[in-house]
């Protein structure tokens, strides 16, 4: 039985910071609550700042541990394994070494296709998830 939809985003021409606003905008517009799992606290803070400045006309309600109000944030950026806003969607900014937590119905894995190490990690992640049979991969 497939429990999660997992999507891989192979970034060729954009960085995570450049691609993230469009993905989040689409996901939030259709009613998803989202956790963005970053590599570390520095990336979480940088992406939080990026979401404040990426557009003069689009606002994406978001926060991280510095902002607080975790349960109320539609989009939560973190470096921790957590789901304080009861999100249904998890977006990770690099391929995870293990499975994605099962409390998310949709998982999105972004990776830099120009980075050979990250590309190989994404391929290994894909194989691991495919072999587990727990995910619908696209």
């Amino acid at each position: 039985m497939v429990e999660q939809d997992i999507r891989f985003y192979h970034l060729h021409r954009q960085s995570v910071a450049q691609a993230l606003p469009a993905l989040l905008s689409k996901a939030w517009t259709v009613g998803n609550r989202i956790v963005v799992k970053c590599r570390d606290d520095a990336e979480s803070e940088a992406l939080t700042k990026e979401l404040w400045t990426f557009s003069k006309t689009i606002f994406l309600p978001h926060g991280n541990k510095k902002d607080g109000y975790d349960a109320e944030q539609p989009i939560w950026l973190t470096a921790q394994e957590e789901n304080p806003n009861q999100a249904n969607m998890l977006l990770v900014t690099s391929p995870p070494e293990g499975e994605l937590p099962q409390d998310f119905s949709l998982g999105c894995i972004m990776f830099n296709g120009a980075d050979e190490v990250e590309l190989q990690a994404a391929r290994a992640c894909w194989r691991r998830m495919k072999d587990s049979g727990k995910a619908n991969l696209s």
Side-chain angles (χ1 to χ4, degrees), residues 1 6-7 12-13 20 23 25 41 46 54 58 60 63 69 76 82 85-87 90 95 98 105 117 120 122 124 131:
M1 176 180 206
I6 307 292
R7 299 175 186 164
H12 293 281
R13 295 184 181 104
L20 188 64
L23 286 173
S25 183
D41 289 333
F54 81 96
I58 299 171
L60 290 172
Y69 302 101
W76 182 251
E82 62 181 341
N85 62 346
Q86 300 303 301
L90 173 65
S105 59
V117 172
Q120 293 307 317
D131 293 344

Side-chain angles (χ1 to χ4, degrees), residues 3 11 21 103 113 117 130:
E3 298 193 18
L11 303 176
D103 53 338
V117 172
K130 182 178 182 211

Side-chain angles (χ1 to χ4, degrees), residues 16 36-44 47 78-80 92-95 110-112 115 118:
V16 168
V36 178
K37 168 74 169 55
C38 302
R39 298 169 201 259
D40 53 35
D41 289 333
E43 183 182 49
S44 173
L47 291 176
T78 182
Q80 309 305 312
V92 295
T93 62
S94 63
M110 301 174 80
F111 65 97
N112 179 352
D115 181 318
E118 199 156 305

Side-chain angles (χ1 to χ4, degrees), residues 8 37 81 90 92 94-101 108-110 121-122 124-126 128-129:
F8 283 76
K37 168 74 169 55
E81 295 278 337
L90 173 65
V92 295
S94 63
E97 292 182 15
E99 298 292 324
L100 294 179
C108 299
I109 301 167
M110 301 174 80
C125 181
W126 171 277
R128 196 171 49 254
M129 290 183 179

Side-chain angles (χ1 to χ4, degrees), residues 26-85:
K26 286 179 184 180
W28 181 66
T29 300
V30 298
N32 289 302
R33 291 182 68 80
I34 307 150
V35 168
V36 178
K37 168 74 169 55
C38 302
R39 298 169 201 259
D40 53 35
D41 289 333
E43 183 182 49
S44 173
E45 187 59 32
L47 291 176
T48 297
K49 288 179 183 174
E50 177 67 24
L51 292 178
W52 282 114
T53 60
F54 81 96
S55 173
K56 292 182 181 184
T57 59
I58 299 171
F59 171 70
L60 290 172
H62 68 281
N64 66 12
K65 70 181 179 181
K66 283 187 176 180
D67 301 317
Y69 302 101
D70 10 353
E72 290 84 26
Q73 301 286 358
I75 301 169
W76 182 251
L77 289 92
T78 182
Q80 309 305 312
E81 295 278 337
E82 62 181 341
N83 188 1
N85 62 346

